[in-house]
Amino acid sequence: MKITKDEILYVANLAKIELKKEEEEKISSQIENILEYIKKIDALDTSDVEPTYNTPIGSNFFREDIIKEHLGSETSLFNAPEKDDGYFIVPKIIK
């Protein structure tokens, strides 16, 4: 299946990534290889294969809420690499 440049750019835009010209061609080739492999898998006869399920046996896997003593600020911040006035200092990630 041939992947067009427009399709590659559309998906890159959705993923919020910028591609160089050589990256567009490389990714297009890689996606075509993946789709060819999927075609091979689609051609397999799986009529005799039983479906598999990973559903856990049981009904409710929630744990009980148990009230415990909280750690407190001093204990919580003991190994913090950076702290100030009872708070963790973390790198800014939103511009």
Side-chain angles (χ1 to χ4, degrees), residues 26-39:
K26 181 179 180 182
I27 290 173
S28 176
S29 169
Q30 290 173 341
I31 291 175
E32 287 175 16
N33 289 339
I34 291 168
L35 292 176
E36 286 299 319
Y37 185 72
I38 290 172
K39 277 186 190 177

Side-chain angles (χ1 to χ4, degrees), residues 15-75:
K16 305 279 190 241
I17 57 175
E18 293 181 24
L19 297 175
K20 297 177 185 160
K21 199 69 156 173
E22 59 272 3
E23 290 173 324
E24 290 174 22
E25 294 169 12
K26 181 179 180 182
I27 290 173
S28 176
S29 169
Q30 290 173 341
I31 291 175
E32 287 175 16
N33 289 339
I34 291 168
L35 292 176
E36 286 299 319
Y37 185 72
I38 290 172
K39 277 186 190 177
K40 290 179 185 178
I41 293 173
D42 282 342
L44 293 175
D45 178 20
T46 58
S47 58
D48 293 336
V49 177
E50 295 239 359
T52 58
Y53 302 97
N54 290 326
T55 307
I57 299 170
S59 61
N60 189 352
F61 294 96
F62 297 113
R63 63 175 172 80
E64 291 287 326
D65 283 337
I66 301 170
I67 299 173
K68 296 181 179 180
E69 186 79 26
H70 65 83
L71 292 176
S73 297
E74 192 173 307
T75 306

